[in-house]
PDB file of all heavy atoms in Angstrom:
ATOM      1  N   SER A   1      89.821 115.784 125.013  1.00  0.00           N
ATOM      2  CA  SER A   1      90.324 117.043 125.565  1.00  0.00           C
ATOM      3  C   SER A   1      90.646 118.063 124.485  1.00  0.00           C
ATOM      4  O   SER A   1      90.889 119.217 124.790  1.00  0.00           O
ATOM      5  CB  SER A   1      91.588 116.770 126.393  1.00  0.00           C
ATOM      6  OG  SER A   1      92.579 116.180 125.585  1.00  0.00           O
ATOM      7  N   GLY A   2      90.686 117.662 123.209  1.00  0.00           N
ATOM      8  CA  GLY A   2      91.037 118.578 122.139  1.00  0.00           C
ATOM      9  C   GLY A   2      89.943 118.653 121.098  1.00  0.00           C
ATOM     10  O   GLY A   2      89.020 117.864 121.068  1.00  0.00           O
ATOM     11  N   PRO A   3      90.009 119.587 120.180  1.00  0.00           N
ATOM     12  CA  PRO A   3      88.971 119.736 119.155  1.00  0.00           C
ATOM     13  C   PRO A   3      89.120 118.680 118.061  1.00  0.00           C
ATOM     14  O   PRO A   3      90.157 118.042 117.917  1.00  0.00           O
ATOM     15  CB  PRO A   3      89.237 121.136 118.612  1.00  0.00           C
ATOM     16  CG  PRO A   3      90.705 121.336 118.821  1.00  0.00           C
ATOM     17  CD  PRO A   3      91.044 120.622 120.090  1.00  0.00           C
ATOM     18  N   ASP A   4      88.024 118.496 117.269  1.00  0.00           N
ATOM     19  CA  ASP A   4      88.091 117.583 116.136  1.00  0.00           C
ATOM     20  C   ASP A   4      89.013 118.135 115.048  1.00  0.00           C
ATOM     21  O   ASP A   4      89.632 117.394 114.299  1.00  0.00           O
ATOM     22  CB  ASP A   4      86.690 117.354 115.550  1.00  0.00           C
ATOM     23  CG  ASP A   4      85.843 116.459 116.443  1.00  0.00           C
ATOM     24  OD1 ASP A   4      86.421 115.664 117.207  1.00  0.00           O
ATOM     25  OD2 ASP A   4      84.630 116.579 116.381  1.00  0.00           O
ATOM     26  N   ARG A   5      89.074 119.422 114.965  1.00  0.00           N
ATOM     27  CA  ARG A   5      89.825 120.035 113.880  1.00  0.00           C
ATOM     28  C   ARG A   5      90.558 121.261 114.405  1.00  0.00           C
ATOM     29  O   ARG A   5      90.026 122.028 115.194  1.00  0.00           O
ATOM     30  CB  ARG A   5      88.878 120.431 112.748  1.00  0.00           C
ATOM     31  CG  ARG A   5      89.561 121.111 111.576  1.00  0.00           C
ATOM     32  CD  ARG A   5      88.548 121.435 110.497  1.00  0.00           C
ATOM     33  NE  ARG A   5      89.144 122.155 109.388  1.00  0.00           N
ATOM     34  CZ  ARG A   5      88.465 122.607 108.344  1.00  0.00           C
ATOM     35  NH1 ARG A   5      87.159 122.401 108.285  1.00  0.00           N
ATOM     36  NH2 ARG A   5      89.076 123.256 107.378  1.00  0.00           N
ATOM     37  N   THR A   6      91.813 121.413 113.969  1.00  0.00           N
ATOM     38  CA  THR A   6      92.602 122.587 114.327  1.00  0.00           C
ATOM     39  C   THR A   6      92.915 123.353 113.049  1.00  0.00           C
ATOM     40  O   THR A   6      93.367 122.760 112.062  1.00  0.00           O
ATOM     41  CB  THR A   6      93.908 122.182 115.033  1.00  0.00           C
ATOM     42  OG1 THR A   6      93.588 121.444 116.200  1.00  0.00           O
ATOM     43  CG2 THR A   6      94.713 123.412 115.410  1.00  0.00           C
ATOM     44  N   GLU A   7      92.668 124.634 113.064  1.00  0.00           N
ATOM     45  CA  GLU A   7      92.869 125.455 111.874  1.00  0.00           C
ATOM     46  C   GLU A   7      93.922 126.518 112.151  1.00  0.00           C
ATOM     47  O   GLU A   7      93.926 127.156 113.210  1.00  0.00           O
ATOM     48  CB  GLU A   7      91.551 126.115 111.465  1.00  0.00           C
ATOM     49  CG  GLU A   7      91.657 126.954 110.191  1.00  0.00           C
ATOM     50  CD  GLU A   7      90.317 127.553 109.804  1.00  0.00           C
ATOM     51  OE1 GLU A   7      89.488 126.832 109.206  1.00  0.00           O
ATOM     52  OE2 GLU A   7      90.102 128.733 110.142  1.00  0.00           O
ATOM     53  N   ILE A   8      94.844 126.683 111.224  1.00  0.00           N
ATOM     54  CA  ILE A   8      95.885 127.706 111.321  1.00  0.00           C
ATOM     55  C   ILE A   8      95.726 128.639 110.128  1.00  0.00           C
ATOM     56  O   ILE A   8      95.682 128.195 108.968  1.00  0.00           O
ATOM     57  CB  ILE A   8      97.286 127.080 111.323  1.00  0.00           C
ATOM     58  CG1 ILE A   8      97.453 126.146 112.524  1.00  0.00           C
ATOM     59  CG2 ILE A   8      98.358 128.165 111.331  1.00  0.00           C
ATOM     60  CD1 ILE A   8      98.755 125.401 112.534  1.00  0.00           C
ATOM     61  N   VAL A   9      95.604 129.928 110.391  1.00  0.00           N
ATOM     62  CA  VAL A   9      95.426 130.932 109.341  1.00  0.00           C
ATOM     63  C   VAL A   9      96.719 131.727 109.212  1.00  0.00           C
ATOM     64  O   VAL A   9      97.216 132.293 110.204  1.00  0.00           O
ATOM     65  CB  VAL A   9      94.239 131.863 109.661  1.00  0.00           C
ATOM     66  CG1 VAL A   9      94.095 132.923 108.574  1.00  0.00           C
ATOM     67  CG2 VAL A   9      92.954 131.049 109.808  1.00  0.00           C
ATOM     68  N   VAL A  10      97.299 131.756 108.035  1.00  0.00           N
ATOM     69  CA  VAL A  10      98.551 132.466 107.771  1.00  0.00           C
ATOM     70  C   VAL A  10      98.311 133.458 106.631  1.00  0.00           C
ATOM     71  O   VAL A  10      97.804 133.078 105.566  1.00  0.00           O
ATOM     72  CB  VAL A  10      99.680 131.489 107.398  1.00  0.00           C
ATOM     73  CG1 VAL A  10     100.966 132.258 107.113  1.00  0.00           C
ATOM     74  CG2 VAL A  10      99.883 130.462 108.492  1.00  0.00           C
ATOM     75  N   ALA A  11      98.657 134.707 106.853  1.00  0.00           N
ATOM     76  CA  ALA A  11      98.549 135.740 105.802  1.00  0.00           C
ATOM     77  C   ALA A  11      99.863 135.814 105.046  1.00  0.00           C
ATOM     78  O   ALA A  11     100.923 135.999 105.641  1.00  0.00           O
ATOM     79  CB  ALA A  11      98.209 137.085 106.424  1.00  0.00           C
ATOM     80  N   VAL A  12      99.813 135.615 103.743  1.00  0.00           N
ATOM     81  CA  VAL A  12     101.015 135.619 102.904  1.00  0.00           C
ATOM     82  C   VAL A  12     100.875 136.707 101.845  1.00  0.00           C
ATOM     83  O   VAL A  12      99.845 136.812 101.175  1.00  0.00           O
ATOM     84  CB  VAL A  12     101.216 134.238 102.225  1.00  0.00           C
ATOM     85  CG1 VAL A  12     102.440 134.281 101.323  1.00  0.00           C
ATOM     86  CG2 VAL A  12     101.336 133.147 103.273  1.00  0.00           C
ATOM     87  N   GLU A  13     101.915 137.515 101.725  1.00  0.00           N
ATOM     88  CA  GLU A  13     101.927 138.560 100.701  1.00  0.00           C
ATOM     89  C   GLU A  13     103.103 138.286  99.770  1.00  0.00           C
ATOM     90  O   GLU A  13     104.231 138.719 100.017  1.00  0.00           O
ATOM     91  CB  GLU A  13     102.062 139.939 101.345  1.00  0.00           C
ATOM     92  CG  GLU A  13     101.963 141.083 100.338  1.00  0.00           C
ATOM     93  CD  GLU A  13     102.023 142.433 101.020  1.00  0.00           C
ATOM     94  OE1 GLU A  13     101.936 142.475 102.268  1.00  0.00           O
ATOM     95  OE2 GLU A  13     102.169 143.441 100.325  1.00  0.00           O
ATOM     96  N   PRO A  14     102.862 137.518  98.715  1.00  0.00           N
ATOM     97  CA  PRO A  14     103.978 137.128  97.845  1.00  0.00           C
ATOM     98  C   PRO A  14     104.474 138.304  97.015  1.00  0.00           C
ATOM     99  O   PRO A  14     103.704 139.138  96.555  1.00  0.00           O
ATOM    100  CB  PRO A  14     103.362 136.038  96.965  1.00  0.00           C
ATOM    101  CG  PRO A  14     101.911 136.398  96.904  1.00  0.00           C
ATOM    102  CD  PRO A  14     101.578 137.009  98.230  1.00  0.00           C
ATOM    103  N   GLY A  15     105.766 138.373  96.840  1.00  0.00           N
ATOM    104  CA  GLY A  15     106.331 139.394  95.971  1.00  0.00           C
ATOM    105  C   GLY A  15     106.310 138.953  94.527  1.00  0.00           C
ATOM    106  O   GLY A  15     106.267 139.766  93.613  1.00  0.00           O
ATOM    107  N   ALA A  16     106.355 137.640  94.329  1.00  0.00           N
ATOM    108  CA  ALA A  16     106.318 137.081  92.975  1.00  0.00           C
ATOM    109  C   ALA A  16     105.780 135.664  93.092  1.00  0.00           C
ATOM    110  O   ALA A  16     105.648 135.108  94.189  1.00  0.00           O
ATOM    111  CB  ALA A  16     107.716 137.092  92.361  1.00  0.00           C
ATOM    112  N   GLY A  17     105.468 135.064  91.980  1.00  0.00           N
ATOM    113  CA  GLY A  17     104.961 133.706  91.988  1.00  0.00           C
ATOM    114  C   GLY A  17     106.029 132.718  92.440  1.00  0.00           C
ATOM    115  O   GLY A  17     107.226 132.960  92.295  1.00  0.00           O
ATOM    116  N   GLY A  18     105.616 131.605  92.993  1.00  0.00           N
ATOM    117  CA  GLY A  18     106.565 130.602  93.454  1.00  0.00           C
ATOM    118  C   GLY A  18     105.919 129.653  94.442  1.00  0.00           C
ATOM    119  O   GLY A  18     104.711 129.695  94.688  1.00  0.00           O
ATOM    120  N   THR A  19     106.735 128.797  95.042  1.00  0.00           N
ATOM    121  CA  THR A  19     106.269 127.800  96.011  1.00  0.00           C
ATOM    122  C   THR A  19     106.637 128.251  97.413  1.00  0.00           C
ATOM    123  O   THR A  19     107.777 128.685  97.652  1.00  0.00           O
ATOM    124  CB  THR A  19     106.892 126.423  95.727  1.00  0.00           C
ATOM    125  OG1 THR A  19     106.538 126.021  94.400  1.00  0.00           O
ATOM    126  CG2 THR A  19     106.382 125.388  96.720  1.00  0.00           C
ATOM    127  N   VAL A  20     105.699 128.149  98.302  1.00  0.00           N
ATOM    128  CA  VAL A  20     105.920 128.525  99.704  1.00  0.00           C
ATOM    129  C   VAL A  20     105.840 127.263 100.567  1.00  0.00           C
ATOM    130  O   VAL A  20     104.869 126.494 100.471  1.00  0.00           O
ATOM    131  CB  VAL A  20     104.875 129.556 100.177  1.00  0.00           C
ATOM    132  CG1 VAL A  20     105.080 129.862 101.654  1.00  0.00           C
ATOM    133  CG2 VAL A  20     104.977 130.818  99.347  1.00  0.00           C
ATOM    134  N   GLU A  21     106.846 127.035 101.378  1.00  0.00           N
ATOM    135  CA  GLU A  21     106.858 125.892 102.283  1.00  0.00           C
ATOM    136  C   GLU A  21     106.749 126.406 103.712  1.00  0.00           C
ATOM    137  O   GLU A  21     107.562 127.240 104.131  1.00  0.00           O
ATOM    138  CB  GLU A  21     108.131 125.069 102.109  1.00  0.00           C
ATOM    139  CG  GLU A  21     108.182 123.843 103.012  1.00  0.00           C
ATOM    140  CD  GLU A  21     109.426 122.997 102.771  1.00  0.00           C
ATOM    141  OE1 GLU A  21     110.017 123.098 101.666  1.00  0.00           O
ATOM    142  OE2 GLU A  21     109.810 122.261 103.686  1.00  0.00           O
ATOM    143  N   LEU A  22     105.759 125.957 104.439  1.00  0.00           N
ATOM    144  CA  LEU A  22     105.517 126.396 105.811  1.00  0.00           C
ATOM    145  C   LEU A  22     105.759 125.248 106.778  1.00  0.00           C
ATOM    146  O   LEU A  22     105.369 124.099 106.519  1.00  0.00           O
ATOM    147  CB  LEU A  22     104.079 126.897 105.965  1.00  0.00           C
ATOM    148  CG  LEU A  22     103.667 128.092 105.107  1.00  0.00           C
ATOM    149  CD1 LEU A  22     102.199 128.421 105.342  1.00  0.00           C
ATOM    150  CD2 LEU A  22     104.542 129.302 105.407  1.00  0.00           C
ATOM    151  N   GLU A  23     106.381 125.554 107.901  1.00  0.00           N
ATOM    152  CA  GLU A  23     106.572 124.578 108.987  1.00  0.00           C
ATOM    153  C   GLU A  23     105.867 125.120 110.217  1.00  0.00           C
ATOM    154  O   GLU A  23     106.141 126.235 110.658  1.00  0.00           O
ATOM    155  CB  GLU A  23     108.060 124.365 109.271  1.00  0.00           C
ATOM    156  CG  GLU A  23     108.302 123.368 110.388  1.00  0.00           C
ATOM    157  CD  GLU A  23     109.787 123.113 110.618  1.00  0.00           C
ATOM    158  OE1 GLU A  23     110.551 123.123 109.621  1.00  0.00           O
ATOM    159  OE2 GLU A  23     110.170 122.938 111.787  1.00  0.00           O
ATOM    160  N   VAL A  24     104.960 124.337 110.757  1.00  0.00           N
ATOM    161  CA  VAL A  24     104.127 124.776 111.869  1.00  0.00           C
ATOM    162  C   VAL A  24     104.476 123.954 113.113  1.00  0.00           C
ATOM    163  O   VAL A  24     104.591 122.730 113.048  1.00  0.00           O
ATOM    164  CB  VAL A  24     102.626 124.610 111.540  1.00  0.00           C
ATOM    165  CG1 VAL A  24     101.774 125.025 112.729  1.00  0.00           C
ATOM    166  CG2 VAL A  24     102.270 125.417 110.305  1.00  0.00           C
ATOM    167  N   SER A  25     104.668 124.632 114.209  1.00  0.00           N
ATOM    168  CA  SER A  25     104.884 123.945 115.491  1.00  0.00           C
ATOM    169  C   SER A  25     103.939 124.538 116.523  1.00  0.00           C
ATOM    170  O   SER A  25     103.648 125.734 116.501  1.00  0.00           O
ATOM    171  CB  SER A  25     106.344 124.089 115.953  1.00  0.00           C
ATOM    172  OG  SER A  25     106.655 125.446 116.180  1.00  0.00           O
ATOM    173  N   TYR A  26     103.446 123.690 117.418  1.00  0.00           N
ATOM    174  CA  TYR A  26     102.523 124.150 118.443  1.00  0.00           C
ATOM    175  C   TYR A  26     102.584 123.199 119.628  1.00  0.00           C
ATOM    176  O   TYR A  26     103.068 122.060 119.515  1.00  0.00           O
ATOM    177  CB  TYR A  26     101.091 124.243 117.903  1.00  0.00           C
ATOM    178  CG  TYR A  26     100.560 122.962 117.293  1.00  0.00           C
ATOM    179  CD1 TYR A  26      99.804 122.073 118.044  1.00  0.00           C
ATOM    180  CD2 TYR A  26     100.815 122.674 115.950  1.00  0.00           C
ATOM    181  CE1 TYR A  26      99.320 120.897 117.472  1.00  0.00           C
ATOM    182  CE2 TYR A  26     100.328 121.513 115.377  1.00  0.00           C
ATOM    183  CZ  TYR A  26      99.578 120.617 116.142  1.00  0.00           C
ATOM    184  OH  TYR A  26      99.108 119.463 115.595  1.00  0.00           O
TER     185      TYR A  26
END
């Protein structure tokens, strides 16, 4: 009933270098 692969596209505009941690819920 679902796809083989799910893709999430997020646009990020960093102000400076560093580590970004994302939490995704669906």
Side-chain angles (χ1 to χ4, degrees):
S1 59
D4 286 335
R5 179 179 177 183
T6 301
E7 182 178 280
I8 299 175
V9 179
V10 179
V12 178
E13 185 177 349
T19 301
V20 177
E21 181 177 338
L22 299 178
E23 180 177 325
V24 178
S25 63
Y26 55 95

